Amino acid sequence: MHVEMGQGAKWKLVYQFTQSGAFAEHYAHRYTQVYVPDDDIIQLAVSISDMFNIQETYGLELAQPALCSNVESHTIHVNDFLLWKEATTVLRYGTFVEIMVPLFSMRFFSTDVTTTLSTADSGYGLDWIWPFLLKYADNKIAVIDEVCIIHPRQSLQQLGKMSMYDTNPSLKGWELQEEKVQFRKYGYSPKRLRRRYNMGYQEKKGLGQVWQPWYEDLWQARNRTGMISVRKGASDQNKMHATGMQKGSMLLKWPEWAWSLFPVHQGSLMLIVYVTSDGMQPRWLRDSTRMSWDLIVVAPDHVTNINCPHCLFIHLYEGSETVGRYQLLHRVMQTPLWQQMVVNKYQFVYFPDERVVQDVSAINTLLQMSLSKNLGLAHLSYCNPQDSLAKHMQYMKMNPTMMLRYGTYVETSAPLFSWWFLQQFVVQTLVAAETGDGLGFLWPYLAGYPKNKVAIVDLACIMEPLPSPDQNMTDTTALTTAEASNPDVASLPLSPEAARQCHTFQYNPAAFGMGAYAIQVQGFFPQPWYERLLKSAHMQMVPLTTYDMSVVKETAC
C-alpha cells in the first residue's frame, strides 16, 4: 500500500501521484491495470478481483463495473440503460464510461490518461475524452456486467458525507468550464466527431456484447442460427467459453447455482398444461432431467405426431375451430380426466405459451421459488428486452440484483398458479377468456393485492420471441427506452376481451388504494451477494417508493 498526500480534487491528486518518483519507480512497470473509484463507491473485494480478471481476459483498455440498479444508485446519466447492470451479458462494448469508477489498462493510463489529468480537477469531460482518444476502438471500451457497484443516492449517503463542491465553494460552476478546456485541448468537436467517427456530440453508443453462456444456450434453443446482430467486429466470439470464469465470479449460473439455494422436492408437485398448435415439442418438454412435474398436452385433432409417453393425458380439440389457449385451458378443466387425475393432486399448475423459450432449470427454479415463498401466482422474468416483447418490459425484465419481486401484475404468457389460487381466483375468469388479455391485472386484483403472494421470479428467465428477429430487436428496444423516460408509454389500448373481463369483475384498483397505478412492486428478496453488498455499507433495503422504474401507469381497464 502506498499513501500519497496532497491538496486538491480527486483527479488533481491522481495526477500529482503519477508525476511522483514513486509511481514511475514502483508502479508504472509493475502493474497492468489501474482502477480509480470515487470514495463513496460501495463494492465487494471479490468483485474488484473479478473485474480485473475480465478486463485482462478481454483485453480492455477502458472499462467500468456496471451500476447494480436504480433502486439504490445514482448517476447523472440516470436514463442511460448502458450503465445499469444487465443479467444476460458478461460485458457490453460501447463508447462511454463514467469518471466515478474508471478502470484503465496501464498502457492507456500511462501514455494517454495522465496527460488529460494535467488540466483536470473535478474530471468533467474526461469520460468523453478517454474513449475519443481510443478512437472508439471495437472491443476495447466496455461496461462490465459480471460485477456491479453501488453509488448511493444522496438520501442514502453516510451521515455527514460531503462532496468536494460542498467543502470548497470555489469549485462550484468550474466543472463546466473545465469540460470546455478539455474539449478544446483535444479537439473534441461535433464536426470532428461526425467526420472521423460518425459520432454525435456527447453521444453514447453500444458496440456489441459478450453474452452469458447460459443465455447463449437459451438462444440456441430457439432453433435459429446466429445471435442478435451487433456492430461488425464488436464480438467475434464469446471468450468465456474458452477461458471460463475466474474463482469468485458472481456469474448467474443456473441451474446449478439456483438449485443450490433450495432443497429438491421429490414427486410431482406441479402440473404443466401445454397447448401446441402443431404438435411440436420444445426441448424442455422432452428433457426428463430433474423433472419434478407432470404434463398434459392440448393439441388440434389433425396433429398426428405427438409422442408423449410421460403425459398424464393428451387432449385433442377440433382443429378447424378458432379457439384461444385460455379457452382450451377451461375446457380441459371440465373434462372427466381432469377431475379424476388432477383435482387436488398438485400444488401448482403452470401454463406456458408455446412461443415461450425456456429450459428445465428455469421451470424448476420457478417451482422451487414458488414452494419456498409459498406463492399463489408467479411468472418468470424476461431475459432481455432484445429477445422478447412484453407489454410491460420495464416491469417484467430480469432484475439481476433480485431473487424475486412481489407485485401486482404478471404477464399471461407463462403464469404459474398454486392450486388454491387457481380455484379461488382464476377459474372464474376462464369462463369468458380467449387469449387471456386483461387477466394479468385481474388475478392480483381479485386476490386483493396480497403483499407476498404474487411475484416475478428473477432467478431465471424466459424468452417470448416474435416471428421476425429483426422486428423483435427494433420494437422491443424502442419500447424499453421509451418506458425508461416516460412510463406512460406502457398504457396500451384496451382490447375488447380485456374490457369485457374488467367490466364483469368490476376491476377497480382504486378500491385498494392503488390510485392510477395497477402495476407496482410491493416487496422483494435480494440476491445473497447484493444483500452482502448493502450490508457492507450498513445500508438498509431501499424504500419501494424509490423504485421508479417498476411503477408503470396503466389505464387498460
Side-chain angles (χ1 to χ4, degrees), residues 111-290:
T111 58
D112 294 292
V113 174
T114 53
T115 62
T116 68
L117 303 184
S118 62
T119 48
D121 278 298
S122 68
Y124 267 73
L126 293 181
D127 36 17
W128 300 108
I129 292 298
W130 293 330
F132 179 72
L133 294 177
L134 286 170
K135 300 179 181 179
Y136 305 109
D138 286 340
N139 300 359
K140 296 301 178 183
I141 306 165
V143 173
I144 298 174
D145 292 307
E146 185 68 13
V147 299
C148 70
I149 54 99
I150 291 175
H151 181 226
R153 294 169 177 256
Q154 188 64 39
S155 60
L156 300 174
Q157 290 279 5
Q158 295 179 7
L159 188 63
K161 170 72 176 175
M162 301 181 71
S163 74
M164 61 182 180
Y165 303 108
D166 296 321
T167 57
N168 188 350
S170 64
L171 287 175
K172 289 187 176 180
W174 164 246
E175 62 268 20
L176 295 180
Q177 182 61 32
E178 181 181 330
E179 183 177 79
K180 293 178 183 178
V181 170
Q182 297 284 19
F183 286 0
R184 285 197 300 269
K185 179 179 176 179
Y186 292 98
Y188 183 89
S189 66
K191 183 176 180 181
R192 192 175 185 184
L193 286 163
R194 183 61 63 189
R195 184 178 68 250
R196 291 193 177 185
Y197 306 111
N198 194 30
M199 289 283 294
Y201 186 71
Q202 295 190 339
E203 179 184 10
K204 307 182 192 77
K205 283 185 179 180
L207 302 180
Q209 62 280 305
V210 175
W211 301 112
Q212 292 280 10
W214 63 263
Y215 181 66
E216 194 171 20
D217 290 343
L218 193 61
W219 258 95
Q220 302 307 320
R222 298 179 56 167
N223 295 321
R224 292 179 179 173
T225 57
M227 296 291 289
I228 301 172
S229 60
V230 297
R231 178 170 167 176
K232 185 177 180 181
S235 183
D236 296 329
Q237 63 178 356
N238 190 332
K239 298 181 184 178
M240 280 297 168
H241 285 300
T243 65
M245 286 304 302
Q246 301 294 329
K247 184 178 180 181
S249 168
M250 286 159 47
L251 176 64
L252 179 61
K253 298 177 181 175
W254 52 273
E256 291 82 8
W257 183 84
W259 267 82
S260 68
L261 291 178
F262 309 107
V264 177
H265 295 266
Q266 301 299 324
S268 296
L269 299 172
M270 180 171 68
L271 174 69
I272 298 180
V273 180
Y274 183 73
V275 177
T276 174
S277 59
D278 54 12
M280 296 296 293
Q281 299 180 29
R283 185 174 63 183
W284 62 262
L285 192 150
R286 300 190 303 270
D287 184 0
S288 60
T289 305
R290 286 181 170 174

Side-chain angles (χ1 to χ4, degrees), residues 71 156 401-402 524-526 530-531 534 539-544:
V71 175
L156 300 174
T401 66
M402 297 295 160
F524 37 63
F525 273 92
Y530 181 60
E531 193 167 23
L534 293 173
M539 291 177 64
Q540 301 295 320
M541 288 304 297
V542 181
L544 289 173

